[in-house]
Amino acid sequence: MKPLLVLHRDMIGPLPGRRTLLGWAWSFAAVVCAVQTAHARGPDPAAFNGFDVANASVPLNAIQRGGPPKDGIPAIDRPKFLPASQAGLGDGERILGLALEGVARAYPVRILNWHEVVNDRVGDRAVTVTYCPLCGTGMAFDARLPAGPASFGVSGLLYNSDVLLYDRATQSLWSQMLETAISGPLKGTRLKSVALTHTSWADWRRRHPDTQVLSTDTGFERDYSRDPYAGYDRVQRLMFDVQHRDDRFPLKEWVLGIQVNGVQKAYPFSVLVRTVDASGELTDVVAGRRFLIRYDRTHGTAEAFDAQGRAWPGTMAFWFAWVAFHPRTEVLSR
């Protein structure tokens, strides 16, 4: 361990007399005590939007402030839904689609851009729908934790340019893409992913004519017709740095990423367009399990299904985001 403070003779000048030296020694001891106390206290929560990150499992210098403070981007806690006929969405508008327990719901990205978290409930099941505009990642989680249903908010912090959520009960920070708490009392706890489809409104409505649609009546005054991130998906640079980069594909190339028993694999859209069959499908084996990958170029979406035909919780993301979190990811070959 490196010393907290190194004292050089040149820093103090000629050696003082005994009494002066004793006084100096007491002063020096006080300084060392103060430094050690500050060191023992750990990182200042004020530098992390009020969150205690002393036990963080990721490098502290990789946790960045995104700009807004804690809850500056407000989660939607009481979502209201409309029938598809009243959605008022254009065919090409992007949505995150959830089909669970016989209920289909669409969450327009133009609403999620302003909120990033929807604490929802499907029947008796608590579900949290999340979206990070910087990474393009829409992910849903079963919000039932051992202590009970969790309610999440937006911390205003980022890790690898991706949103850090927090649960209101324990103030633990959660990485969306790691699906894990990275600090706080619940550090190391994993969330269970729920399959979510990132596609166009026309595609989702065709598949689920009876879908419900998240209403713009969110309880907040926002201009949902305006995209605060307009054009970011086409700019080949990042607003916030990441821990790992890989130049095999453009930063903002869309990929479908899946995880199976600790193995990750990415399916870049530029490769899928050349490798799927006429029906837009291919079969693949990841970690010994067979999957069907379905790619729809028209609607800009890709999904994974297991051998039983069940939707697998994959993640559509920008390439930079997927590989930043999964540097050893397998990649569909060109």
Side-chain angles (χ1 to χ4, degrees):
M1 180 181 293
K2 294 183 178 180
L4 291 173
L5 185 60
V6 177
L7 189 65
H8 233 273
R9 180 174 179 177
D10 293 341
M11 296 167 60
I12 61 174
L15 289 177
R18 183 175 298 177
R19 290 184 180 177
T20 308
L21 182 60
L22 183 60
W24 173 86
W26 281 110
S27 299
F28 178 67
V31 170
V32 171
C33 182
V35 171
Q36 289 177 330
T37 300
H39 181 74
R41 286 176 183 154
D44 181 4
F48 297 92
N49 287 357
F51 292 96
D52 183 354
V53 295
N55 70 339
S57 59
V58 302
L60 293 184
N61 62 4
I63 299 176
Q64 298 175 288
R65 282 178 165 178
K70 174 184 177 181
D71 294 323
I73 298 174
I76 298 175
D77 293 324
R78 297 176 180 83
K80 298 178 182 179
F81 293 91
L82 301 170
S85 60
Q86 298 178 25
L89 298 175
D91 284 351
E93 288 199 48
R94 306 301 295 177
I95 62 95
L96 302 182
L98 178 70
L100 190 64
E101 299 182 2
V103 176
R105 286 180 178 166
Y107 304 81
V109 167
R110 64 182 171 103
I111 298 177
L112 295 173
N113 276 333
W114 294 93
H115 297 282
E116 302 188 9
V117 172
V118 181
N119 291 301
D120 202 357
R121 184 171 289 275
V122 180
D124 293 330
R125 189 171 178 179
V127 178
T128 298
V129 176
T130 69
Y131 180 68
C132 180
L134 296 172
C135 296
T137 44
M139 302 179 72
F141 305 105
D142 188 326
R144 295 173 296 182
L145 298 179
S151 177
F152 290 91
V154 182
S155 71
L157 301 173
L158 304 167
Y159 172 59
N160 273 341
S161 195
D162 184 48
V163 60
L164 286 177
L165 317 170
Y166 77 93
D167 73 89
R168 289 163 173 156
T170 74
Q171 301 292 297
S172 298
L173 289 173
W174 300 74
S175 167
Q176 181 206 35
M177 288 197 69
L178 290 178
E179 308 170 28
T180 303
I182 58 99
S183 73
L186 296 181
K187 185 183 84 167
T189 303
R190 288 190 62 85
L191 292 168
K192 181 180 179 181
S193 292
V194 176
L196 196 66
T197 302
H198 188 168
T199 189
S200 70
W201 167 238
D203 181 38
W204 185 256
R205 185 184 57 203
R206 176 184 57 80
R207 297 196 227 174
H208 303 278
D210 296 327
T211 186
Q212 302 169 6
V213 185
L214 180 65
S215 169
T216 56
D217 182 10
T218 61
F220 300 95
E221 292 293 330
R222 297 292 188 274
D223 182 1
Y224 295 115
S225 66
R226 185 175 72 85
D227 181 358
Y229 301 90
Y232 186 63
D233 59 337
R234 298 188 296 275
V235 177
Q236 292 305 307
R237 62 177 182 271
L238 304 181
M239 292 177 64
F240 299 92
D241 205 3
V242 293
Q243 294 289 287
H244 175 78
R245 293 201 186 204
D246 186 315
D247 61 3
R248 281 178 287 176
F249 298 93
L251 289 173
K252 308 290 178 62
E253 163 100 20
W254 280 107
V255 304
L256 171 69
I258 66 172
Q259 301 188 64
V260 187
N261 298 329
V263 176
Q264 298 86 31
K265 187 160 186 177
Y267 297 83
F269 282 19
S270 63
V271 179
L272 282 173
V273 73
R274 297 194 301 273
T275 53
V276 295
D277 61 21
S279 61
E281 298 178 347
L282 66 83
T283 57
D284 198 11
V285 176
V286 182
R289 296 189 59 169
R290 184 171 296 276
F291 288 90
L292 174 71
I293 306 300
R294 186 172 294 151
Y295 170 66
D296 187 330
R297 183 177 185 179
T298 300
H299 297 288
T301 188
E303 298 168 277
F305 300 87
D306 66 14
Q308 288 71 46
R310 297 171 299 198
W312 189 263
T315 305
M316 268 181 53
F318 295 141
W319 164 248
F320 86 82
W322 180 259
V323 79
F325 282 94
H326 309 297
R328 298 182 180 179
T329 185
E330 297 178 2
V331 181
L332 180 67
S333 59
R334 295 177 182 271

